[in-house]
Amino acid sequence: MLQRLLSGFTALVLLVVFTSSVHSQTFENTFQKFSNNFIPERIHLHLDKSSYATGDTIWFKAYLINGITPVEDSKTLYIDWTDPSGKLISRSTLPIISGVAFGQTEIPPAFAGNAIHLKAYTKWMLNFDSAFLYNRDIPIINTNEIAGTKQITTYQFSLFPEGGDLLYGATSKVAFKATDGYGNPVHVNVNLMEGNKAIQKVNDMHDGMGFFYIRPIRGNQYSVSWKDPSGKEHTTSLPEIKSSGVSMQLLITPDKRTLLIQGVGSNAKGTFHIIGTMYNQPVFNIERSMQDSSVTAIIPVNTLPSGILRITVLDSLYHPLSERITFINNNEFKFRTDMQVAHWGMNKRARNELEISVPDSLGANLSISVTDARLDLDTTQNIMTDLLLTDEIKGKVYNPAFYLGNNEDSTQKLLDLVMLTNGWRKINWTDLAAGILPKIQFNKDTSYMTISGRLYGATPGQLQNAGDVILIVNQKGKSDWIMAPVNPDGRFDATNFILFDTATVYYQPPKGKGLGNVSVQFSEKRLPTLSLTNATSPFVRDTSGRSLQFQLSRQLMDELKFNQTKVLETVTIKARTKSPTQIMDEKYTSGLFSGGDSRGFDLVNDPSAVAFTSIFDYLRGRVAGIQISTDNPPVLSWRGGSPALFLNEMPVTSDVISTIPVSDIAYVKVLNPPFMGATGGGGSGAIAIYTRRGDDQQSTPGKGLSRNTVTGYSVERKFYSPNYDLTDPEQKDLRTTLYWNPTVRITPGQKTATVTFFNNDISESFRIVIEGMSPDGKFTRTVKVME
């Protein structure tokens, strides 16, 4: 997708030349494979609040991007939640659908730290530098945190030559960055020293960052003297100054980048390649010959997608000489979300309705939180800063939202300091030049978590057309019968079943071909826990918003968590009495199987059913015209053909039905011909068998079969928002999050969506935060306060 969008860009770049050498062809072929197969994925999490108290629930929605469009291939998201010491608190494993995933995690009531660290990633992301996994610290408010702050006493000062190297005789820009021990910026005064003499005095321009120019002279010694906020003076040596290489200077204007390259020593002459990449995708490839030890290239950027552009200078053999990044902001990455109040309740527990709208042509996948406006709000990061900026660079960016708040020249110059003072995603150009691609250790999770495994102890001949493994999945009193086809290598996969939580699985291998004694081993698709990360960020303590959050959370726990209390009025409805068979039909059947010309058998309320050894014995003689042989498996005939057989509305064969104990069957429906739900038109009708579930369970499913325990995705809870139009409990409503909805979908052409929530007992104003993503990878964020 990104390549298609960028296909017209190369034509705009002047002086593009492609050589036909064998080496060049090898590089271009390898680079094409790399760009097609190694696009990194990026993540943003929208939380319902900015800070939490112990015992709270963190509600979240994850947005995932691959290049410039929502993730499609990866199907599983992992989130590790750790305490300040790096100890794992919990792990969320979630299905990714259309580039989003959502869930919740509980903060233990006894949690003692002032922050929880989350690390979010997909399996595919583990093939890249771990620095680009999504990391975030969440402030946790408790008594210890409000009591005081920890003093920060250490400072760091780093120097970053533009393009990577300092060269004798070449003028270079050198950026610097000063931070405290937590990575937060500090103000510094800087002196560039030549020996013991100060030759240039510089102050930081913004958030501890600044720059100076230097043209090193061979034989001189250079260093930087700087003074930290406590007044202590430090000396930092300049990076190594080289005698040969390439220096790079980049001039930034709104619609283009002007690149000045100077060669020194052995690199003063020769052919150079200038390659631009975004998200590991090629943007341009310029080949130039060095003239008078310098080259200038003008790169138009007004047709590029917004994000980080990496510019690399390579020699004639495609070995890297110089590299730097620049941020492209063409403002095409966002769309506007409007919010209108359709109904505003002025009283406690009153109903509110909001109408959310997006441009007609887009459609959007949104998440919405409504909180007490007195709570603190993190304005430093959002969906745009994460997915366009901080997910693509190493190191902490302080207040990234500042740099995307506007596109003024002054802001872009400060943003370029961020580009100069942070690391970025690297490509191993030397390997690509040698035709070597990165090694893939973790393939993408291209299928959802289900029940899969492998048969052992069978010959290849036995596994050819072996049939199905019967799986009975038992969870919380409900059983699902699943047929999983066995592949020629013995593997099986219940592809149409997505597994949540933990389940007991009873299983039976195919009975044919002598497979009754094979062993079954289930596969574990979940990744093991990664090395854990400490929460390191300091937070401002005892702000009024966080103090309020703490007080209300304590009261809420004293009220036994209002959102766990549901009081429902008893409603008596008089209606025509339905027969047990009608009730069973409505409970179990759906689609083409419901209603129609048929006859049903309610085995739950038929005490005679348990006397039969198979359901075919039970049915024999009960339906006029159906002939059932006594063979094993039986042969059925009806009106000149064989009726179609279904288990829980999935087509099966009679040998499968024969294995199901009659005590596990709740309902049988015989559908008179023709039955349109069967293959070939159902000229001989159909028999649908339904296994017991819920309160119809009277026996242990799969009794006598082998079993195993398997684990799937984390259980997703629905955010509880009371409906005071229906009930009005006595408990005081102290909710600080009044509404959270991660599943607001607006399809193209629909334009609007309506959400409803109710006031609590304490809030006088509300803050509404909307974030979202369009199908083509544009983003939105809207924040409004309603009085």
Side-chain angles (χ1 to χ4, degrees):
M1 180 66 169
L2 180 58
Q3 287 176 312
R4 292 199 299 271
L5 290 175
L6 299 179
S7 60
F9 175 75
T10 305
L12 299 175
V13 181
L14 301 178
L15 302 171
V16 177
V17 180
F18 295 98
T19 65
S20 58
S21 69
V22 174
H23 191 88
S24 180
Q25 286 297 318
T26 299
F27 172 81
E28 290 177 13
N29 291 338
T30 307
F31 189 35
Q32 185 65 45
K33 293 177 183 178
F34 173 81
S35 62
N36 287 341
N37 298 298
F38 291 85
I39 304 175
E41 296 173 343
R42 311 186 307 283
I43 297 174
H44 164 72
L45 259 66
H46 178 196
L47 310 182
D48 67 307
K49 291 183 290 197
S50 295
S51 60
Y52 298 84
T54 53
D56 279 355
T57 298
I58 300 174
W59 301 89
F60 61 88
K61 180 174 182 176
Y63 294 89
L64 294 94
I65 286 287
N66 182 36
I68 61 172
T69 56
V71 163
E72 295 180 358
D73 293 338
S74 290
K75 301 299 184 186
T76 300
L77 173 69
Y78 298 89
I79 306 177
D80 297 332
W81 309 83
T82 56
D83 67 12
S85 68
K87 181 181 178 181
L88 185 68
I89 300 171
S90 64
R91 191 186 208 195
S92 302
T93 309
L94 306 165
I96 303 169
I97 302 173
S98 300
V100 301
F102 52 88
Q104 73 291 319
T105 191
E106 311 293 329
I107 304 172
F111 184 78
N114 67 354
I116 284 179
H117 183 85
L118 72 87
K119 179 185 291 184
Y121 51 94
T122 64
K123 195 175 179 182
W124 177 247
M125 292 171 69
L126 299 181
N127 292 300
F128 303 90
D129 190 332
S130 62
F132 297 103
L133 304 182
Y134 184 82
N135 287 274
R136 182 169 174 180
D137 289 339
I138 303 172
I140 305 300
I141 308 147
N142 55 42
T143 305
N144 293 331
E145 190 207 5
I146 291 177
T149 63
K150 184 179 179 180
Q151 297 298 314
I152 301 169
T153 57
T154 61
Y155 301 96
Q156 297 175 351
F157 183 86
S158 303
L159 296 167
F160 305 88
E162 183 175 16
D165 291 327
L166 287 175
L167 302 172
Y168 286 115
T171 300
S172 297
K173 176 190 282 189
V174 180
F176 61 83
K177 182 178 183 179
T179 61
D180 61 24
Y182 293 107
N184 293 322
V186 294
H187 173 70
V188 289
N189 298 312
V190 173
N191 284 300
L192 175 61
M193 308 295 292
E194 185 178 85
N196 295 323
K197 179 183 178 182
I199 59 173
Q200 194 175 158
K201 183 176 181 179
V202 184
N203 294 327
D204 61 284
M205 298 173 58
H206 179 74
D207 283 346
M209 298 179 293
F211 68 90
F212 55 84
Y213 286 99
I214 183 174
R215 189 172 187 271
I217 299 174
R218 192 181 302 274
N220 290 348
Q221 299 295 319
Y222 299 94
S223 62
V224 171
S225 172
W226 56 281
K227 186 181 294 186
D228 68 31
S230 68
K232 184 178 179 180
E233 292 193 1
H234 307 262
T235 298
T236 301
S237 299
L238 262 63
E240 177 189 1
I241 304 173
K242 298 182 178 180
S243 301
S244 181
V246 167
S247 71
M248 175 193 297
Q249 291 188 43
L250 192 68
L251 303 180
I252 297 174
T253 52
D255 60 348
K256 66 178 181 293
R257 299 293 183 266
T258 302
L259 182 64
L260 176 63
I261 300 171
Q262 184 175 355
V264 174
S266 60
N267 296 113
K269 294 182 179 180
T271 300
F272 297 87
H273 301 276
I274 306 170
I275 297 180
T277 53
M278 299 185 76
Y279 312 116
N280 286 352
Q281 300 288 287
V283 174
F284 58 82
N285 184 348
I286 306 171
E287 183 179 302
R288 298 295 301 274
S289 295
M290 189 75 75
Q291 300 293 331
D292 298 325
S293 300
S294 66
V295 169
T296 300
I298 298 176
I299 305 168
V301 298
N302 54 348
T303 62
L304 288 178
S306 295
I308 291 179
L309 169 64
R310 175 176 44 208
I311 302 172
T312 309
V313 179
L314 304 102
D315 65 17
S316 59
L317 297 179
Y318 292 94
H319 297 147
L321 299 173
S322 184
E323 187 171 80
R324 74 105 92 195
I325 56 175
T326 180
F327 191 85
I328 309 301
N329 187 348
N330 285 321
N331 277 319
E332 90 300 343
F333 59 85
K334 53 189 173 184
F335 64 93
R336 180 181 176 87
T337 300
D338 290 319
M339 187 198 76
Q340 301 295 328
V341 178
H343 181 273
W344 195 248
M346 302 301 294
N347 301 318
K348 296 179 179 179
R349 305 192 178 190
R351 178 174 55 87
N352 307 288
E353 285 188 8
L354 304 177
E355 189 174 87
I356 313 299
S357 62
V358 300
D360 286 323
S361 59
L362 274 180
N365 195 328
L366 306 173
S367 47
I368 302 175
S369 69
V370 182
T371 60
D372 190 307
R374 294 172 294 175
L375 301 185
D376 63 306
L377 176 67
D378 182 3
T379 60
T380 65
Q381 68 180 108
N382 55 57
I383 186 171
M384 301 172 199
T385 63
D386 281 348
L387 295 176
L388 293 177
L389 178 58
T390 54
D391 280 1
E392 279 291 281
I393 58 179
K394 288 184 178 180
K396 179 178 179 179
V397 179
Y398 183 79
N399 192 14
F402 167 82
Y403 303 103
L404 298 187
N406 63 71
N407 205 15
E408 300 293 332
D409 289 348
S410 58
T411 303
Q412 296 309 301
K413 289 179 180 178
L414 297 177
L415 176 54
D416 196 53
L417 282 176
V418 176
M419 301 293 100
L420 289 167
T421 57
N422 286 273
W424 56 87
R425 293 184 187 269
K426 297 291 187 179
I427 294 176
N428 192 326
W429 297 102
T430 303
D431 277 359
L432 293 183
I436 301 172
L437 290 170
K439 291 182 179 179
I440 296 296
Q441 293 182 306
F442 300 93
N443 292 320
K444 289 184 179 180
D445 279 318
T446 55
S447 60
Y448 292 109
M449 283 189 177
T450 184
I451 301 173
S452 59
R454 190 171 188 175
L455 303 185
Y456 289 90
T459 66
Q462 289 176 309
L463 294 174
Q464 289 292 330
N465 302 314
D468 298 331
V469 174
I470 300 174
L471 304 169
I472 306 174
V473 185
N474 184 254
Q475 287 181 299
K476 299 178 180 178
K478 177 185 176 182
S479 293
D480 289 292
W481 290 68
I482 303 169
M483 314 302 296
V486 178
N487 298 325
D489 63 355
R491 300 179 190 275
F492 60 87
D493 201 341
T495 54
N496 294 323
F497 183 84
I498 300 179
L499 179 64
F500 286 85
D501 206 1
T502 300
T504 300
V505 179
Y506 299 85
Y507 56 92
Q508 178 176 294
K511 282 192 170 182
K513 296 190 174 183
L515 294 173
N517 294 323
V518 298
S519 62
V520 177
Q521 181 174 326
F522 288 88
S523 303
E524 176 60 75
K525 288 193 172 183
R526 295 160 62 98
L527 281 171
T529 304
L530 301 183
S531 58
L532 302 178
T533 306
N534 298 14
T536 58
S537 294
F539 299 106
V540 177
R541 273 79 168 178
D542 204 17
T543 65
S544 59
R546 291 183 181 174
S547 179
L548 173 68
Q549 167 79 354
F550 174 77
Q551 295 168 15
L552 293 178
S553 294
R554 296 283 71 73
Q555 292 181 48
L556 196 59
M557 292 184 71
D558 292 341
E559 291 279 345
L560 299 178
K561 291 281 187 182
F562 174 81
N563 63 350
Q564 294 177 358
T565 304
K566 300 180 180 180
V567 180
L568 300 178
E569 296 179 0
T570 301
V571 179
T572 303
I573 302 175
K574 294 183 178 181
R576 181 182 299 175
T577 303
K578 296 180 181 179
S579 70
T581 301
Q582 288 176 313
I583 294 173
M584 295 295 285
D585 195 83
E586 292 179 358
K587 181 176 182 178
Y588 281 91
T589 66
S590 64
L592 293 173
F593 292 86
S594 62
D597 185 10
S598 61
R599 181 177 178 185
F601 297 91
D602 174 12
L603 276 71
V604 171
N605 297 297
D606 184 354
S608 69
V610 296
F612 295 89
T613 58
S614 80
I615 193 61
F616 294 117
D617 292 337
Y618 176 86
L619 289 174
R620 192 175 287 116
R622 292 179 183 260
V623 181
I626 294 184
Q627 301 297 318
I628 304 176
S629 75
T630 57
D631 300 327
N632 188 17
V635 177
L636 288 76
S637 63
W638 194 15
R639 298 191 183 181
S642 297
L645 298 178
F646 295 88
L647 177 62
N648 295 328
E649 302 182 357
M650 297 292 292
V652 292
T653 55
S654 60
D655 60 331
V656 173
I657 298 296
S658 298
T659 65
I660 304 174
V662 175
S663 58
D664 287 346
I665 297 174
Y667 185 59
V668 178
K669 187 168 187 176
V670 180
L671 299 116
N672 293 328
F675 174 59
M676 303 310 295
T679 303
S684 296
I687 300 175
I689 313 292
Y690 296 88
T691 55
R692 295 175 185 254
R693 62 175 183 246
D695 53 5
D696 290 335
Q697 295 276 11
Q698 293 185 349
S699 63
T700 302
K703 186 176 181 180
L705 298 178
S706 300
R707 65 181 180 180
N708 206 333
T709 300
V710 295
T711 303
Y713 290 116
S714 303
V715 177
E716 296 175 3
R717 284 172 39 203
K718 184 177 181 181
F719 180 83
Y720 174 64
S721 182
N723 185 342
Y724 288 129
D725 286 344
L726 300 178
T727 181
D728 192 11
E730 296 180 359
Q731 288 86 358
K732 192 172 183 180
D733 187 348
L734 301 173
R735 292 169 300 136
T736 54
T737 298
L738 287 82
Y739 182 76
W740 166 254
N741 189 344
T743 61
V744 178
R745 297 291 298 269
I746 301 177
T747 59
Q750 178 186 351
K751 191 176 180 179
T752 62
T754 301
V755 299
T756 302
F757 67 94
F758 289 82
N759 295 347
N760 58 18
D761 291 336
I762 55 164
S763 299
E764 298 178 355
S765 57
F766 310 109
R767 180 185 295 113
I768 301 161
V769 179
I770 303 172
E771 288 195 331
M773 179 170 63
S774 68
D776 60 352
K778 292 183 173 63
F779 313 118
T780 190
R781 177 177 170 87
T782 298
V783 180
K784 288 192 176 182
V785 174
M786 308 298 294
E787 299 291 343

